[in-house]
Every structure is written in C-alpha cells, then in structure tokens.
Amino acid sequence: LYQWHKSFGFTVLGLAVLRAVWWSIERNPAPPPGLGPLEHTAAQIMHRALIVLALIVALAGWAVASTSTLNIPSFYFNLIVIPHLPLRQSEASEAFWTFAHALLAYLMLGLVAGHAAAAFYHHFLRRDEVLVRMLRPGARRRDAKTFNTQENDDTLVERK
C-alpha cells in the first residue's frame, strides 16, 4: 500500500506541475459580476494556495521516502524506479518530513473543503454563476441563468 501511495503521490506531483504551468500561462477570466473585491482577492489567494500546496505536499512526501533510513526504492506502479531526492537520510529528517507532509496534506484538505463550500454557497444561496463557471470554463452568463430562479418564484426554471 505504501508503494501505491507513493505512486499516486508522484502522479499528483506530475499533474500539479502541469496545472501550475497551465495556470501561469492561461489568461484568467474576469471576476463574475457581483463579486466584491474581498471575495475576488480571497478567490485568487485560494487558487494560488491550492496550486502551491499540491506541489509542496507531493514534494514533502517524496522527501519522506528520500530521507527514510530504510532506503526503500520508490516504484512508480511497479514500472520504473523513482530516484530519491538528494537529502540526508536520518530518523530526524524522516520525522520532520513526515510531519510536514501530513500537516500540509490536512491543510490542503481543509482548503479544498472551504473552496467547495464557497462554490456551493455561491450556487445555492447567492444563485450566481460561480459554480457554473468552475464546472464549465468559458460558460456564458446567460448559460448560468438556467440555474437561477425567476423573480417571485422559488422553483427552478430552464431558460433557453
């Protein structure tokens, strides 16, 4: 199971690198209408934090495997051996990186939960297009109206 955990971690690291490159190249969309400056700033900070944490959590996990005194190789899905990082192997280093890996992973889990809660808040309570834009990049404002309610009517209606 530990080798599977490391294999998925290396996969996450590769995907996080691709996502970080994509995020740095792509043009970010304008904030949705009605989104205040504080919400816009919070969204930017949240996105950056998630990208950075995805990279750091995976790298900290690689550091755990690299600093372990057991010196067990990391097999990527039993296909190739991933070399260790050039870090000193010691019980203290392994304990530090294990703690850092776990702490950062739980921090990221909390941020993902907060991000999802904010998306649901926007969708179900504010009834704006934030969640629709997340799920369908490039979705136009008129497409988001499908999920909005008519004035003085609590039932969902489709507008085409």
Side-chain angles (χ1 to χ4, degrees), residues 3 10 15 42 59-60 67 73 78-79 91 104 131 151 153 160:
Q3 289 293 344
F10 286 120
L15 292 173
L59 287 171
T67 58
N78 289 329
L79 299 174
E91 289 181 17
L104 293 168
L131 182 62
E151 295 78 25
D153 186 6
K160 292 186 180 182

Side-chain angles (χ1 to χ4, degrees), residues 42-58:
Q44 287 180 322
I45 291 170
M46 178 67 80
H47 294 152
R48 288 184 178 122
L50 288 172
I51 290 168
V52 167
L53 277 172
L55 292 166
I56 293 175
V57 168

Side-chain angles (χ1 to χ4, degrees), residues 45-160:
I45 291 170
M46 178 67 80
H47 294 152
R48 288 184 178 122
L50 288 172
I51 290 168
V52 167
L53 277 172
L55 292 166
I56 293 175
V57 168
L59 287 171
W62 193 1
V64 171
S66 299
T67 58
S68 173
T69 56
L70 298 175
N71 203 24
I72 298 171
S74 297
F75 296 102
Y76 184 73
F77 294 110
N78 289 329
L79 299 174
I80 59 172
V81 176
I82 305 290
H84 291 311
L85 294 171
L87 300 171
R88 187 173 69 81
Q89 293 179 338
S90 72
E91 289 181 17
S93 294
E94 182 181 7
F96 169 78
W97 286 111
T98 299
F99 176 76
H101 181 60
L103 179 70
L104 293 168
Y106 284 119
L107 176 62
M108 184 169 176
L109 181 63
L111 290 180
V112 167
H115 190 60
F120 289 135
Y121 164 77
H122 279 277
H123 188 70
F124 293 113
L125 296 177
R126 292 203 38 196
R127 300 206 178 270
D128 60 18
E129 68 207 54
V130 171
L131 182 62
V132 173
R133 285 174 47 147
M134 288 169 61
L135 297 175
R136 290 182 30 210
R140 295 185 180 150
R141 183 166 171 72
R142 63 181 167 80
D143 292 339
K145 290 181 183 176
T146 300
F147 298 100
N148 288 339
T149 59
Q150 291 180 345
E151 295 78 25
N152 302 322
D153 186 6
D154 288 21
T155 60
L156 293 176
V157 294
E158 271 193 64
R159 298 181 187 177
K160 292 186 180 182

Side-chain angles (χ1 to χ4, degrees), residues 1-8:
L1 290 177
Y2 191 60
Q3 289 293 344
W4 277 88
H5 179 92
K6 291 192 291 185
S7 294
F8 284 117

